Amino acid sequence: MNMIETIKSLPMALATAAILAALPMPEGALLGSKAFAQEKEESSYASRAKTRKVPAMSVDIHKKIQKAQEAMDLKEYVEAKEILTDTLESKRINDYERAVAWQLRAMISYEEDDTAGTIRAYEQILQYAESIPEALELNIIYGLAQLYYSEENYQKAIEYVKKWEPRAEVISVNHLVFIAQVYYTLTDFDNSLAYIYRAISDAQAVDTVEVKETWYGMALSAHWELGQYTKVRDVLEILLINWPKPQYWIQLAGVYQELGDEKTSYSLTEAAYKQGFLDDKPLQLVNVAQIQLARGAPIKCAWVLEKAFKEDRIEKTAQNYRTLGQCYLMATEYERALKPLTAAAKSEADGDLWFQIAQVQMQLTHYTDAVKSFDNVVESFDGTKDEKDADKRLTSVMQKGQALTELKRFKEAHAAFDTANRMAKDRKDKRMITQWRNYLRAEQAREEMLEG
């Protein structure tokens, strides 16, 4: 039986048992329905309730009720409904007898999975509230709250809760949890918290009731909705201690970040990573890498990402490659930085990234690769009107000339400096180009002399 069926069946079974148990039934009467499977707690609750003067049931009505009950036990619901309809149309029938008949109609509606019909029957019984035991009336009112909740009519559910609660002699932990859930669904988070914490407190006070993880989960969500991050932190710490699940490590790290305690947030995230809790969470793995970068440990950042790439735990996206490359650069592992940075630049056609790659290649004397990278910069910024991008484009043409000079590709180097000279508008740039031209001529002359 699923949760909704359980919600619907318990109050109905209890209410039916309370009515039929009060009937002056002869010995040997059929009581085989599951409606009589009430628990000791429920019977005790009914016995403590206030008593009312209940009208007597006539022999004729008693026989019809018993006949309907027998048909129900055989699952002959059509026949049972006909008998009950006939009973309700009797000329001599009192309110108590009507309540009994409607209770059986409620049972049939439940068996037929007709929640709306069950609700109608329950509400019909309340028309005769003064003629039924008060304990039964209260059980029906609470049952209606549960039934309306199962039908997602949360406003009606809370209306019946408010009718029931002030009159209830015993409010159990389960009652409190249910009421908290109704208020939560209505986005009344303050009331939801009040009831769920009452439930937790009452459960902790006795050994026979176990505090459940879902109760704290409800409190956690309510505090989050209210923006009460300190409370969210406190509840998460309780959850982490008692139910140490991966998501609580991650959530707690996020809350500490929200509260401005980055040190604790980073420590929790790293602890979760080391325990393997983040292995199936690509965004969190990248976050761990970025945390290492922020903590001044770029090589650890690179190790995290390399491992994630190798195990196919994160996507091979341009952004992830870029992050890996930047980590290696900051760790001064320039050679290892080139491969991921190049992969990112190819994917994004990013002029800025190609410019950075070219600078690294020049530093490592990878002049052939640098020439290609500078060409990519020029192509990326072709037609740009942005002054900074135009400066990078000019610098790339100039440095391409330098790389070609080092490669002794003198003709191409002259062409590059000619292009740079046409692009240059600043005297400083033109003077620098002239200096490089002079160096180019000197290198060319030296090479020709060596060649004899």
Side-chain angles (χ1 to χ4, degrees):
M1 180 180 291
N2 63 34
M3 185 180 72
I4 295 301
E5 289 175 327
T6 301
I7 286 175
K8 291 192 291 186
S9 64
L10 288 180
M12 180 174 58
L14 174 58
T16 306
I19 288 181
L20 298 181
L23 293 178
M25 291 191 136
E27 185 177 354
L30 292 176
L31 301 178
S33 169
K34 61 179 159 183
F36 293 90
Q38 68 219 67
E39 298 177 0
K40 291 182 180 180
E41 181 182 347
E42 294 166 341
S43 299
S44 175
Y45 170 67
S47 67
R48 290 195 301 271
K50 297 177 183 178
T51 58
R52 283 177 179 161
K53 186 175 182 180
V54 178
M57 180 175 284
S58 68
V59 174
D60 181 55
I61 297 297
H62 180 278
K63 288 179 179 179
K64 290 181 179 181
I65 292 295
Q66 186 176 18
K67 189 175 180 181
Q69 179 69 44
E70 291 170 356
M72 289 170 61
D73 289 342
L74 296 172
K75 299 188 183 298
E76 295 175 355
Y77 300 128
V78 173
E79 180 183 348
K81 283 191 281 189
E82 290 175 353
I83 295 170
L84 291 171
T85 298
D86 180 63
T87 301
L88 288 166
E89 291 175 352
S90 298
K91 293 182 179 180
R92 294 184 177 181
I93 181 171
N94 61 41
D95 287 349
Y96 175 57
E97 294 165 337
R98 287 190 180 91
V100 172
W102 277 110
Q103 180 56 40
L104 296 184
R105 285 295 298 267
M107 286 185 63
I108 294 171
S109 294
Y110 165 71
E111 293 296 339
E112 293 179 334
D113 201 25
D114 178 9
T115 304
T118 308
I119 289 173
R120 285 193 298 272
Y122 264 24
E123 291 183 330
Q124 193 65 44
I125 295 171
L126 293 182
Q127 300 296 315
Y128 316 115
E130 293 303 315
S131 298
I132 62 176
E134 187 171 1
L136 170 61
E137 179 194 356
L138 291 175
N139 285 332
I140 290 175
I141 292 171
Y142 185 76
L144 280 165
Q146 293 179 298
L147 287 166
Y148 272 117
Y149 184 85
S150 73
E151 288 289 277
E152 300 183 6
N153 190 337
Y154 308 121
Q155 194 57 51
K156 287 291 289 185
I158 204 64
E159 287 175 14
Y160 275 106
V161 164
K162 289 178 178 179
K163 290 179 182 179
W164 171 83
E165 186 179 6
R167 298 171 59 190
E169 291 190 6
V170 175
I171 300 178
S172 70
V173 169
N174 287 336
H175 290 143
L176 294 170
V177 172
F178 172 68
I179 297 171
Q181 182 64 55
V182 179
Y183 275 119
Y184 182 89
T185 310
L186 288 168
T187 68
D188 185 345
F189 302 118
D190 288 315
N191 268 320
S192 179
L193 286 166
Y195 279 94
I196 201 62
Y197 279 126
R198 275 180 61 190
I200 291 170
S201 177
D202 287 1
Q204 289 173 335
V206 295
D207 296 329
T208 55
V209 181
E210 180 184 1
V211 177
K212 295 183 179 179
E213 179 184 1
T214 53
W215 301 353
Y216 280 109
M218 192 189 307
L220 177 69
S221 297
H223 284 308
W224 186 267
E225 293 289 348
L226 292 170
Q228 299 171 343
Y229 300 120
T230 302
K231 293 289 186 180
V232 171
R233 177 201 62 197
D234 295 343
V235 174
L236 276 170
E237 289 178 348
I238 293 171
L239 285 165
L240 189 58
I241 291 169
N242 292 282
W243 299 275
K245 294 181 178 178
Q247 66 263 31
Y248 299 141
W249 286 88
I250 299 167
Q251 291 171 352
L252 188 56
V255 171
Y256 272 108
Q257 183 77 24
E258 191 73 32
L259 291 170
D261 188 347
E262 291 189 347
K263 183 178 179 180
T264 303
S265 176
Y266 290 168
S267 297
L268 285 165
T269 303
E270 191 169 4
Y273 171 74
K274 289 179 179 179
Q275 295 177 80
F277 292 159
L278 308 181
D279 285 350
D280 60 342
K281 296 175 174 56
L283 292 177
Q284 291 296 333
L285 288 172
V286 174
N287 185 44
V288 171
Q290 291 171 336
I291 285 172
Q292 299 299 341
L293 200 59
R295 299 181 87 171
I299 194 61
K300 288 186 177 181
C301 163
W303 292 343
V304 170
L305 290 176
E306 284 282 17
K307 182 175 185 292
F309 275 129
K310 184 178 180 180
E311 297 174 356
D312 290 324
R313 298 193 184 280
I314 61 174
E315 292 185 37
K316 294 177 172 61
T317 63
Q319 182 57 50
N320 288 340
Y321 277 128
R322 180 194 289 267
T323 303
L324 176 58
Q326 297 297 343
C327 289
Y328 275 131
L329 283 181
M330 293 184 69
T332 66
E333 294 278 353
Y334 302 123
E335 196 74 56
R336 299 177 75 176
L338 286 174
K339 184 177 179 180
L341 287 177
T342 301
K346 285 180 178 178
S347 177
E348 295 184 332
D350 189 325
D352 289 320
L353 192 52
W354 278 120
F355 186 79
Q356 186 178 36
I357 291 168
Q359 302 301 312
V360 175
Q361 289 167 335
M362 289 292 286
Q363 185 173 344
L364 295 172
T365 69
H366 295 180
Y367 298 123
T368 301
D369 291 334
V371 168
K372 295 176 182 177
S373 297
F374 284 129
D375 282 341
N376 288 328
V377 177
V378 173
E379 183 180 350
S380 296
F381 292 139
D382 185 31
T384 182
K385 294 181 179 180
D386 184 89
E387 189 174 330
K388 290 183 178 179
D389 291 345
D391 286 342
K392 286 180 183 176
R393 190 167 184 268
L394 172 59
T395 301
S396 295
V397 175
M398 290 171 58
Q399 291 191 333
K400 176 183 175 182
Q402 297 171 31
L404 288 167
T405 301
E406 299 297 335
L407 290 168
K408 304 185 189 308
R409 291 160 57 179
F410 302 124
K411 185 177 181 179
E412 293 173 74
H414 278 296
F417 288 130
D418 286 343
T419 301
N421 194 54
R422 288 193 298 271
M423 294 170 61
K425 298 177 181 179
D426 186 272
R427 287 185 179 181
K428 181 180 179 181
D429 291 334
K430 287 185 177 290
R431 187 166 55 250
M432 185 176 296
I433 293 169
T434 299
Q435 291 172 354
W436 274 104
R437 277 182 182 279
N438 293 334
Y439 175 76
L440 168 59
R441 292 190 187 98
E443 284 296 299
Q444 189 173 6
R446 187 170 68 86
E447 187 65 22
E448 289 172 353
M449 183 181 66
L450 291 172
E451 289 177 355

